[in-house]
Amino acid sequence: RKIMLADLPGKRCSKARNQNRMQYVGEQGHMALLGHSLAAYISVLERERLRKLTTRILSDTTLWLCRLFRYENGSAYYHEDDREGLVKVCRLAINTHYEDYATEGFTLLSSKHPVIYQSAACRPGLGQHLCSQLGLPLSSLCIVPCNTMFGSLHRMDVALLDKLIRDDSESGKLPLLLIANAGTPGAGHTDKLSRLKELCVQYNMWLHVEGVNLATLVLGQVSSTVTAATKCDSMTLTPGPWLGLPAVPAVTLYRHEDPALSLAAGLTSSQPVEKLRALPLWLSLQYLGHDGILQRIKHASQLSQQLLENLKTLASIKTSVEDELNSPVVVFRFSQDSAPSSGGSVEGYLEGERDILDALNRWLGEQLAQQVPLSGVDVVELEDEGTCVRFSPLMTAAALGTQENDVAALVEKLGEMIPVLSCTLRFRQDFKDEVLQQASLSYIEDQSWPGLGGVRYEARTTDLDEDKRHHSVEKINSDLLKKLMELDTDLYFSDGPEFCEEKNCIFIGMATEDLDVAELVETVVSIGRDIEESGKLFENMTEVVRRGIQEAEQQLQKANEEKLMEEGVLRQIPLVGSVLNWFSPVQASVKGKTFNLAEGCLDSTEPVYSIKAQMNKEASLDSPKSITKRFPGQKLFRRQGAGSDSVSDTSSVSQLEESFRETAEVPQERHVHIVAETASSDQRVPEGQETESVDALR
């Protein structure tokens, strides 16, 4: 072993490489990877030596696993796909019940159809894969529902299973195999394995068990429900994720007395190379030892207990665990049951409330996984509870290197997000009511959106056809979303979920306690109205400019005709006109024209050059709109002093308006001085030079 570790390829630069790896690979991981290289070298040995070596590796690994997981007198089948062991075991059961199956084949099954039973809580697609690999019709698969009245909602209903087996036996079918769970894929619950074993013995069925809770069999204290798995006919283990071992095979332990049937089912092989699959696991188990394996499983169980104890202290968090004293999988979700405080309401959430809570819990799980990645939490969909957050350290802790401080960080982040979830749930109805009061906004009902909800700004123009109106609404809402995203606020604005049916919408994310819903809606309406008005001006500008060009062309043509009548025809002849203009110059007056975009007409340029008229026009301009000022550091849509003893909103706004007026006095005085200087300069223009300045302006 020492030589192997010293000669490990790439060992010297492993620390630098670990920084770029997605999965933590420790020394035991390097041993597993080394096993694949050694298997390739060993496969070229002399045949007899290869047979002896592979037989020893296979027998030692099988013996260690059977002792670790308390599975006496068992054999082992090593496979890459964790479903392959179940396929081989089922083929073994078929060979056992149908004696002439090896020669007659599937013709024997037509007389007595085999039936495979599995729990509704099993991993999706497992039964379909099994039937596909065995060539059985889907009618051979029977899904057993879970408990609905008593016990865990994730456990198989034993009484209903007994009835189904009895009915199939009476109808001439053959109950073949039962798939049970020692830790369901979703919630980590364990079926009543002892009662299921009794049913299998009664009806001569094969009992197969799989699940993450089988890892706890190596511990000193194990729950009786999991210990019953040691009496089953076969079990599938996945030591790779449990121990943090990359690229090691899954193992199916089974008991059967006839080695010929095991060989026919493919559980054993006479090829020495096939036995080398156990080499990576053999090296890793040797490196870890019994204490190392026990420590990793125990550490994962302690992490689950640590999280479960902390979740009990958090309000609005419900857990779904099978055994609070010894549960390696913790499933929890946010649920608002208490009465709402001031500032929000939950009226109208009876219908579709679960969909809203599922969306919030999905957001919660994604945020926790993103902010505390070493925790290994993920989102799981359960049939009864809905969307939940799952913490399964047995499957993730060894690979991620999860420690107690990671669980503490997870609990801290969860405590910070609970108020946000509660406020968002309360303000959703208030936001809907505010939006419905605005004629220019439409409320978008999307219960899968984790936030306040969605709105759409509707154009007020009714004289457009359907296509133009749709294009106008799309343009307005697109620009409105960009404007809202540029605001100084903590709110999140988006165009909605990826597969949202509604288009041209603006969705608003999670809310906090100090959110001013009325101000938020008013801001959306105000910005949308400004965008709509500016869009109308841009749309009308094309027509206005077109009419102005036509009018200007007519004015130019009229001016040319007047020039011709005034100067005469002779002056238009190139050579004659030059001679006449030299003897008798013509004083032609130039009349300037300006195009007014606002009114869409041609005006004379004479008022432009009158400084007094220009000053009058500046004075007649509309005063700028008042801008609501906020305290330094206060972001938009926040109620100042919400939930505290600070000053009220009215006094805050009035103080800011007074300060704004004081700061505005200085620029106003400067404007008066500039106007005065301009007027005085107008009086100092000498007579006769005014025409030249006007011509220069032209």
Side-chain angles (χ1 to χ4, degrees):
R1 288 174 55 189
K2 293 181 180 179
I3 297 176
M4 292 179 184
L5 285 174
D7 297 338
L8 186 62
K11 180 64 180 174
R12 298 177 181 177
C13 56
S14 60
K15 293 184 178 179
R17 293 179 181 175
N18 279 342
Q19 299 176 357
N20 298 325
R21 287 176 180 156
M22 297 180 62
Q23 176 178 331
Y24 173 76
V25 179
E27 295 290 346
Q28 75 284 353
H30 287 292
M31 294 301 299
L33 297 176
L34 178 62
H36 291 275
S37 301
L38 289 178
Y41 284 110
I42 293 175
S43 62
V44 299
L45 291 177
E46 188 265 331
R47 184 175 182 81
E48 184 63 23
R49 295 183 61 186
L50 177 62
R51 184 188 62 81
K52 293 181 180 180
L53 180 59
T54 54
T55 303
R56 176 64 182 273
I57 292 174
L58 185 65
S59 60
D60 287 352
T61 309
T62 302
L63 179 61
W64 298 338
L65 291 175
C66 290
R67 289 180 178 177
L68 280 173
F69 294 95
R70 309 182 184 187
Y71 198 80
E72 299 178 358
N73 301 323
S75 303
Y77 172 66
Y78 302 88
H79 45 93
E80 301 298 332
D81 190 348
D82 55 1
R83 301 171 299 180
E84 186 63 23
L86 177 58
V87 174
K88 301 294 186 182
V89 164
C90 189
R91 187 172 284 117
L92 174 61
I94 293 177
N95 281 275
T96 303
H97 285 83
Y98 299 92
E99 296 181 358
D100 297 331
Y101 179 77
T103 57
E104 300 295 334
F106 290 98
T107 56
L108 293 175
L109 306 181
S110 59
S111 59
K112 202 170 187 179
H113 293 283
V115 182
I116 301 173
Y117 302 89
Q118 75 166 29
S119 170
C122 284
R123 47 180 167 167
L126 179 62
Q128 290 78 359
H129 175 78
L130 187 59
C131 292
S132 174
Q133 295 298 314
L134 297 174
L136 298 176
L138 291 179
S139 58
S140 299
L141 181 64
C142 180
I143 306 297
V144 183
C146 296
N147 294 323
T148 56
M149 299 295 295
F150 306 100
S152 171
L153 298 177
H154 303 277
R155 285 180 177 176
M156 189 186 306
D157 192 335
V158 180
L160 183 57
L161 173 64
D162 189 7
K163 182 178 181 301
L164 292 173
I165 296 176
R166 192 183 312 112
D167 294 342
D168 290 337
S169 299
E170 294 175 355
S171 62
K173 297 181 180 180
L174 176 64
L176 180 66
L177 182 138
L178 172 63
I179 306 173
N181 290 301
T184 56
H189 291 203
T190 302
D191 292 324
K192 296 180 180 180
L193 300 179
S194 57
R195 182 72 180 98
L196 295 179
K197 179 59 179 177
E198 294 176 0
L199 284 179
C200 290
V201 172
Q202 178 181 351
Y203 294 101
N204 192 24
M205 295 173 56
W206 187 284
L207 177 60
H208 179 81
V209 180
E210 61 178 19
V212 66
N213 291 352
L214 292 175
T216 60
L217 288 173
V218 304
L219 301 177
Q221 297 180 353
V222 190
S223 62
S224 58
T225 56
V226 179
T227 306
T230 59
K231 304 300 181 182
C232 65
D233 297 298
S234 61
M235 65 169 64
T236 296
L237 309 175
T238 54
W242 297 348
L243 304 176
L245 304 176
V248 297
V251 184
T252 296
L253 302 179
Y254 66 96
R255 296 190 185 97
H256 201 268
E257 298 177 355
D258 192 345
L261 293 180
S262 300
L263 180 62
L267 288 169
T268 58
S269 175
S270 59
Q271 298 295 328
V273 179
E274 294 291 333
K275 300 178 182 179
L276 287 176
R277 291 181 180 176
L279 182 57
L281 188 58
W282 181 82
L283 286 174
S284 301
L285 294 179
Q286 287 237 35
Y287 177 81
L288 288 173
H290 181 272
D291 294 339
I293 297 172
L294 180 64
Q295 178 61 31
R296 288 179 178 274
I297 303 298
K298 184 178 180 180
H299 174 68
S301 300
Q302 291 175 348
L303 293 178
S304 298
Q305 294 302 312
Q306 177 187 354
L307 178 62
L308 185 59
E309 292 297 327
N310 285 277
L311 291 180
K312 294 179 181 179
T313 62
L314 297 178
S316 303
I317 293 295
K318 288 186 175 181
T319 59
S320 176
V321 293
E322 181 182 21
D323 184 6
E324 294 188 356
L325 299 178
N326 187 17
S327 179
V329 180
V330 179
V331 176
F332 61 93
R333 71 184 260 113
F334 167 79
S335 179
Q336 186 78 15
D337 294 334
S338 58
S341 59
S342 60
S345 63
V346 294
E347 297 179 1
Y349 279 95
L350 296 178
E351 182 180 357
E353 181 180 2
R354 171 167 171 171
D355 295 335
I356 298 173
L357 289 175
D358 286 347
L360 296 179
N361 281 281
R362 191 176 300 107
W363 175 86
L364 174 63
E366 292 173 355
Q367 291 296 316
L368 290 176
Q370 180 180 359
Q371 299 187 24
V372 193
L374 294 181
S375 64
V377 295
D378 61 347
V379 179
V380 60
E381 302 285 344
L382 301 180
E383 183 177 358
D384 296 294
E385 290 85 350
T387 304
C388 301
V389 183
R390 177 178 57 188
F391 178 67
S392 182
L394 276 174
M395 299 297 294
T396 60
L400 298 176
T402 309
Q403 301 297 328
E404 288 80 1
N405 56 345
D406 298 319
V407 177
L410 178 66
V411 176
E412 181 181 358
K413 290 296 181 182
L414 182 59
E416 297 174 359
M417 294 178 182
I418 290 177
V420 177
L421 294 168
S422 301
C423 294
T424 302
L425 188 60
R426 295 203 319 266
F427 283 130
R428 279 183 70 104
Q429 186 64 31
D430 297 341
F431 176 75
K432 180 179 180 180
D433 296 339
E434 290 288 342
V435 171
L436 294 178
Q437 294 177 4
Q438 301 291 336
S440 58
L441 294 181
S442 296
Y443 180 77
I444 306 302
E445 188 72 33
D446 190 350
Q447 297 175 350
S448 64
W449 171 253
L452 292 177
V455 296
R456 179 192 294 116
Y457 187 89
E458 302 290 350
R460 293 173 292 178
T461 304
T462 58
D463 55 349
L464 298 177
D465 56 18
E466 187 64 25
D467 294 337
K468 291 184 178 179
R469 178 178 176 80
H470 178 76
H471 178 72
S472 176
V473 171
E474 180 181 1
K475 181 67 169 58
I476 292 174
N477 285 275
S478 177
D479 294 342
L480 178 58
L481 177 60
K482 294 178 181 178
K483 293 289 185 181
L484 292 174
M485 295 175 66
E486 295 174 356
L487 297 178
D488 184 17
T489 176
D490 292 332
L491 288 177
Y492 172 71
F493 300 96
S494 171
D495 55 356
E498 183 178 359
F499 302 102
C500 180
E501 297 180 357
E502 298 288 343
K503 302 299 180 183
N504 306 325
C505 306
I506 299 174
F507 285 84
I508 304 173
M510 308 298 286
T512 54
E513 179 69 29
D514 55 357
L515 176 65
D516 192 337
V517 179
E519 180 187 356
L520 170 62
V521 176
E522 291 175 0
T523 303
V524 174
V525 174
S526 177
I527 298 177
R529 187 184 301 113
D530 293 342
I531 295 174
E532 183 181 9
E533 292 176 355
S534 62
K536 289 181 179 179
L537 178 61
F538 180 78
E539 292 175 359
N540 296 333
M541 188 177 297
T542 303
E543 182 65 22
V544 172
V545 172
R546 187 183 63 83
R547 291 199 305 264
I549 292 174
Q550 292 178 355
E551 185 177 354
E553 291 177 349
Q554 295 176 0
Q555 293 287 346
L556 289 174
Q557 185 178 0
K558 184 178 179 181
N560 291 332
E561 293 176 355
E562 292 178 355
K563 180 180 179 182
L564 179 61
M565 295 298 296
E566 181 180 355
E567 297 180 356
V569 179
L570 292 177
R571 291 184 182 272
Q572 307 306 319
I573 301 175
L575 184 58
V576 178
S578 301
V579 175
L580 289 177
N581 290 333
W582 184 77
F583 283 104
S584 176
V586 178
Q587 299 294 331
S589 61
V590 180
K591 297 180 180 180
K593 297 291 183 180
T594 178
F595 181 64
N596 191 337
L597 286 176
E599 300 179 2
C601 61
L602 292 175
D603 295 336
S604 176
T605 56
E606 293 180 0
V608 178
Y609 306 110
S610 176
I611 299 178
K612 185 175 181 179
Q614 186 177 1
M615 292 173 55
N616 292 335
K617 283 192 174 183
E618 290 179 356
S620 64
L621 292 176
D622 295 336
S623 59
K625 298 180 180 179
S626 60
I627 302 175
T628 303
K629 293 292 182 177
R630 315 185 73 84
F631 284 112
Q634 182 184 0
K635 296 188 176 183
L636 293 175
F637 317 132
R638 284 191 174 183
R639 291 178 286 119
Q640 180 63 26
S644 61
D645 297 331
S646 58
V647 295
S648 62
D649 295 343
T650 306
S651 60
S652 303
V653 174
S654 61
Q655 292 175 1
L656 285 170
E657 288 179 350
E658 292 177 359
S659 62
F660 179 66
R661 293 193 190 100
E662 292 176 359
T663 56
E665 290 178 357
V666 177
Q668 187 175 3
E669 294 176 357
R670 181 182 177 186
H671 176 69
V672 173
H673 292 315
I674 294 174
V675 172
E677 292 177 0
T678 306
S680 61
S681 63
D682 183 28
Q683 296 176 1
R684 291 195 297 269
V685 175
E687 185 177 0
Q689 296 183 5
E690 183 177 0
T691 306
E692 297 178 1
S693 62
V694 172
D695 294 337
L697 287 173
R698 290 180 181 175

